[in-house]
Amino acid sequence: MKFAQKRSWKPLIALLLLLGLVAVVETSCGDSGSDGESAGETAGLSADASAIAAARGLTPADISAALKTYTPSGVHDEYLMFASGGHSGQVYVIGMPSMRIIKKIAVFTPEPWQGYGYGAEGTMAVLEEGDPNGTDIRWGDTHHPALSETAGDYDGQFLFINDKANGRVAVISLKDFETKQLVKNPLALGDHGGTFVTPSTDWVIEGGQYGAPLGWEYASIDDYKTDYRGLVTIWKFDREAGRIDPSRSFAIELPPYWQDLCDSGKLVSEGWIFCNSFNTEMATGGVEDGNAPFEAGASQRDMDYLHVINLDKAAEVAAAGKTMDVKGFPVIPMATAVEEGLLHFIPEPKSPHGVDVTPDGKFMVVSGKLDPHVTIYSFEKIQAAIAAGGFETDDYGIPILDFDSVMEAQVEVGLGPLHTQFDNLGYAYTSLFLEPAVARWALGGDFADLHEEESWTLVHKTPVQYNVGHIAAAEGDTVSPDGRFLVSMNKWAIDRFANVGPLLPQNFQLLDIAEPGMNMPVLYDLPIPDGEPHYAQIIKADKLDPWEVYPEVGWNPHTGAIDENAVQLGEERVERNGNEVEIWMTSVRSHFTPEHVSIKQGDHVIWHITNVERAYDATHGFSIPFYNINLSIEPGEAVTFEFDAEQDGVFSYYCTEFCSALHLEMTGYLFVEP
Ligand code: RUQ
Ligand code: CUA
């Protein structure tokens, strides 16, 4: 009788009809709430459908959620979400609304399926260029993915993501979904507020985090105020090359506050960036020596500082060479930034975390973890305050704008507000870590025309399970968000899934935000078996145009051209030059040529393989035991690896992808004669 009390079934029946689930349509759909009827009878569902719903204990809300997310076999998702893979150092690609995981992109961590970091020269080189001082760092704490933009809209060409733990930024091409570049920040060992792109992707912003001496020198913590610094790094992106160009990049020296997240201005505020900070107390910790722990020391003040940076001006100053050199990298000194008028602070409450610019670029929304409000600043008022001058300054001489003169509004949203996203209905959404919930609130300014609620007011909250960090809405960081769907990226999963031991997955919950007002239900829970994915961006799938196979046979994905050692069918060979042996091999269903390779113990081996297939999905793997070689060679791809044959014996190499009926026969022998 559970279903008898539910609301009208008519919309649901219409949906079921669309899906062909209703075999028998009753002419008189019972009034909702009529006593004594079963769900099926009330709804006019087919006997089959209502029996399934009853057996599984599904409510009408469940069935509606299923209908909104179920994606039949072969039907593609309308959106793709690129989610940070957290400590896995990778990126997840997830279809929406189905919430099916479609791919994992290897970024900072070797990944065997993709043959990333197991011999293939291109991938080894990418990983190595991210190594600080030549030290192998083989993981990352990925935080904030950023899709490339053109005129403030995702353009589907590139993805950037940072590694908080080691202060690195990655560039991924969305032509083949492969990592092309890792950039190690020469100034800092860690970061956080990255990556964020400017509306045309001229610049990729990497904000800092914990104060430290620039260039990772040693300095005593007693000299924190003089020797430790904060930082924001501005990487130049060369779209043509598909790479960050460190030689045209620069950084800005900041006080040793802990810069946190950043966002780029857009439209009216294009050319500006906004980074928040905490620990303006400059607490230095040392709880073991009787000092206040960081958590207390760094949250004493009611206000920290939003950093307002004129990026266009900073780029001019850097180009004019008004920089200091730290480890060969140009840094605009704080004093220069003040002199040039490119850096201002705004007080922001309390223990700030997220800063997000509205789609029209007119407002900056800040959340303080310990303040139940979001605070909204007006870009116009910020400009007026800067023009008016007459500022107070902080200890480092940075001008501070008056809070009241630049604040537009505050909205009380609830406990532990963190991050804000936007939709197409004039609403903003803020994650509430402590409640935990997602709050919908009504924007003001030009957005007021889009909704019926009063500007700058809370509209609704949907509880989420549990402890939400970031949220991501469809096209939510662009100048024209799509609305419709929002994903709550929850850090705790507790009771949502089967017990899998003390280490639990994270929980991504899909929310339906298509309707205005108070209806904002959770539709789906997706467990993410990696800790801890932070942020995601969601792009309309039809904006992507990836290759199905590499453009030509012999393609090197890391140079973006035909490889000089590409091998065509019939050109396979083995050549010896002293104790160096070079092999040119092809792969095609279902054999490698050659199938026998005979060398001597102690030889240096250079091995090229070209997958000459032109068929979609005809990938071959290649593995050699003992030597830690494992490749994935996609159709058209040319790969090279090298090793010293120190171990003698007979080694079966084989294709690791089940590519054909005779895949098991796709093998060969490497003979290493003692
Ligand atoms: S952060 S959960 Cu690393 Cu983006 Cu706020
Ligand atoms: Cu090629 Cu299996």
Side-chain angles (χ1 to χ4, degrees):
M1 294 316 100
K2 192 174 178 184
F3 291 2
Q5 308 143 18
K6 300 294 173 181
R7 60 179 182 274
S8 168
W9 283 81
K10 283 176 189 164
L12 184 53
I13 295 165
L15 280 166
L16 286 169
L17 269 169
L18 273 175
L19 291 180
L21 286 179
V22 179
V24 181
V25 184
E26 292 175 13
T27 43
S28 60
C29 297
D31 288 332
S32 59
S34 48
D35 285 336
E37 285 176 314
S38 77
E41 284 160 350
T42 309
L45 290 178
S46 73
D48 274 6
S50 52
I52 294 167
R56 300 197 65 211
L58 301 179
T59 66
D62 295 335
I63 297 171
S64 162
L67 293 175
K68 285 174 182 169
T69 55
Y70 175 70
T71 306
S73 177
V75 175
H76 295 188
D77 281 294
E78 205 179 330
Y79 290 94
L80 289 185
M81 169 158 76
F82 290 87
S84 135
H87 320 155
S88 77
Q90 319 288 36
V91 165
Y92 280 105
V93 186
I94 298 165
M96 226 177 67
S98 74
M99 301 303 278
R100 297 176 295 195
I101 297 176
I102 299 173
K103 190 166 189 173
K104 197 168 169 179
I105 305 172
V107 186
F108 293 106
T109 308
E111 206 287 331
W113 163 56
Q114 294 163 65
Y116 185 77
Y118 294 93
E121 224 172 40
T123 69
M124 303 302 280
V126 169
L127 284 165
E128 279 160 21
E129 71 181 336
D131 287 340
N133 288 357
T135 300
D136 289 0
I137 303 293
R138 291 297 173 266
W139 78 289
D141 184 10
T142 53
H143 271 235
H144 306 103
L147 289 156
S148 58
E149 297 179 9
T150 298
D153 242 323
Y154 304 148
D155 57 32
Q157 293 185 3
F158 296 95
L159 182 77
F160 309 91
I161 193 161
N162 69 312
D163 163 18
K164 165 170 168 153
N166 303 294
R168 299 182 293 177
V169 169
V171 181
I172 297 158
S173 165
L174 297 180
K175 269 314 208 190
D176 60 0
F177 285 54
E178 287 201 4
T179 303
K180 302 299 177 184
Q181 184 184 25
L182 301 186
V183 178
K184 172 71 202 98
N185 193 313
L187 304 173
L189 283 167
D191 67 22
H192 183 243
T195 51
F196 296 87
V197 300
T198 51
S200 53
T201 321
D202 286 347
W203 303 102
V204 180
I205 316 299
E206 183 190 17
Q209 183 95 91
Y210 306 119
L214 294 188
W216 21 296
E217 307 291 336
Y218 171 80
S220 164
I221 192 78
D222 296 335
D223 301 321
Y224 188 82
K225 288 183 184 171
T226 52
D227 292 4
Y228 285 52
R229 285 293 175 261
L231 181 69
V232 59
T233 307
I234 319 286
W235 296 104
K236 181 76 193 169
F237 183 61
D238 181 341
R239 197 186 281 262
E240 193 78 2
R243 299 286 190 280
I244 281 171
D245 182 353
S247 74
R248 290 192 286 156
S249 305
F250 63 97
I252 305 172
E253 180 194 26
L254 296 169
Y257 312 146
W258 294 352
Q259 285 77 30
D260 203 16
L261 286 177
C262 301
D263 201 3
S264 291
K266 42 177 88 103
L267 299 172
V268 286
S269 53
E270 181 164 354
W272 293 71
I273 57 171
F274 308 89
C275 298
N276 58 23
S277 65
F278 59 111
N279 197 17
T280 52
E281 297 85 349
M282 295 186 279
T284 51
V287 66
E288 62 287 349
D289 298 323
N291 299 322
F294 277 118
E295 59 180 317
S299 50
Q300 298 165 53
R301 298 185 56 189
D302 286 335
M303 296 279 190
D304 291 290
Y305 297 126
L306 178 68
H307 297 34
V308 178
I309 297 169
N310 184 335
L311 177 59
D312 287 346
K313 181 85 197 167
E316 269 172 39
V317 167
K322 298 177 191 168
T323 51
M324 58 183 178
D325 185 280
V326 181
K327 280 215 173 153
F329 199 78
V331 181
I332 299 176
M334 270 190 290
T336 308
V338 171
E339 226 171 78
E340 299 282 344
L342 64 87
L343 173 64
H344 293 84
F345 286 164
I346 302 176
E348 50 175 359
K350 168 167 186 164
S351 293
H353 187 50
V355 52
D356 296 280
V357 176
T358 53
D360 62 1
K362 291 185 179 172
F363 303 105
M364 291 75 226
V365 180
V366 165
S367 315
K369 300 173 295 242
L370 302 179
D371 180 337
H373 299 88
V374 288
T375 300
I376 299 108
Y377 302 101
S378 150
F379 184 69
E380 202 182 318
K381 291 180 182 176
I382 292 171
Q383 294 304 301
I386 290 174
F391 317 107
E392 292 186 11
T393 60
D394 77 342
D395 292 354
Y396 295 91
I398 317 289
I400 304 169
L401 308 184
D402 173 55
F403 177 80
D404 291 316
S405 68
V406 296
M407 196 263 284
E408 180 75 20
Q410 288 191 302
V411 183
E412 185 165 344
V413 288
L415 300 179
L418 295 183
H419 299 287
T420 297
Q421 285 277 283
F422 306 97
D423 71 4
N424 57 335
L425 304 173
Y427 295 129
Y429 300 82
T430 299
S431 54
L432 303 173
F433 180 83
L434 292 175
E435 297 212 5
V438 175
R440 166 186 267 177
W441 49 277
L443 290 162
D446 299 336
F447 299 104
D449 302 338
L450 297 174
H451 54 72
E452 286 175 357
E453 292 83 0
E454 208 178 305
S455 291
W456 314 123
T457 55
L458 178 68
V459 175
H460 179 70
K461 286 190 224 180
T462 294
V464 292
Q465 289 75 27
Y466 298 90
N467 294 16
V468 51
H470 278 276
I471 49 179
E475 303 251 328
D477 286 310
T478 69
V479 292
S480 59
D482 281 12
R484 301 182 55 196
F485 298 109
L486 179 141
V487 175
S488 171
M489 307 174 76
N490 306 320
K491 298 180 188 291
W492 288 43
I494 307 184
D495 55 10
R496 294 292 104 173
F497 309 108
N499 184 355
V500 288
L503 181 62
L504 274 63
Q506 320 286 305
N507 185 16
F508 284 10
Q509 286 187 306
L510 179 68
L511 274 68
D512 178 359
I513 58 166
E515 271 183 44
M518 316 254 301
N519 189 24
M520 207 168 88
V522 170
L523 299 179
Y524 196 86
D525 283 23
L526 168 67
I528 292 286
D530 261 321
E532 171 205 298
H534 285 256
Y535 188 46
Q537 285 191 333
I538 299 167
I539 183 174
K540 200 91 193 303
D542 63 14
K543 285 185 172 179
L544 295 161
D545 184 26
W547 287 321
E548 295 188 344
V549 298
Y550 280 108
E552 291 174 70
V553 168
W555 194 263
N556 180 331
H558 296 280
T559 59
I562 299 285
D563 193 277
E564 55 178 3
N565 284 298
V567 194
Q568 301 295 336
L569 281 178
E571 291 177 356
E572 301 89 348
R573 61 201 186 277
V574 178
E575 286 175 10
R576 171 176 288 280
N577 185 357
N579 69 343
E580 193 172 282
V581 179
E582 195 158 359
I583 298 129
W584 287 267
M585 172 182 264
T586 58
S587 68
V588 70
R589 277 160 293 167
S590 302
H591 57 271
F592 294 108
T593 307
E595 290 187 335
H596 291 173
V597 174
S598 301
I599 61 172
K600 298 230 158 36
Q601 188 174 19
D603 282 343
H604 180 70
V605 181
I606 305 171
W607 199 313
H608 315 284
I609 309 176
T610 300
N611 180 354
V612 299
E613 300 269 6
R614 301 311 286 151
Y616 195 16
D617 207 6
T619 292
H620 298 290
F622 182 86
S623 70
I624 306 180
F626 183 85
Y627 285 107
N628 205 31
I629 301 294
N630 184 38
L631 317 175
S632 170
I633 322 168
E634 283 95 64
E637 183 174 356
V639 178
T640 294
F641 60 94
E642 297 187 31
F643 63 98
D644 291 317
E646 271 152 17
Q647 174 69 47
D648 64 331
V650 175
F651 304 82
S652 298
Y653 50 81
Y654 74 98
C655 168
T656 50
E657 287 276 336
F658 212 111
C659 54
S660 68
L662 298 176
H663 148 82
L664 291 178
E665 288 78 357
M666 194 163 176
T667 184
Y669 286 110
L670 168 68
F671 304 103
V672 183
E673 196 185 318

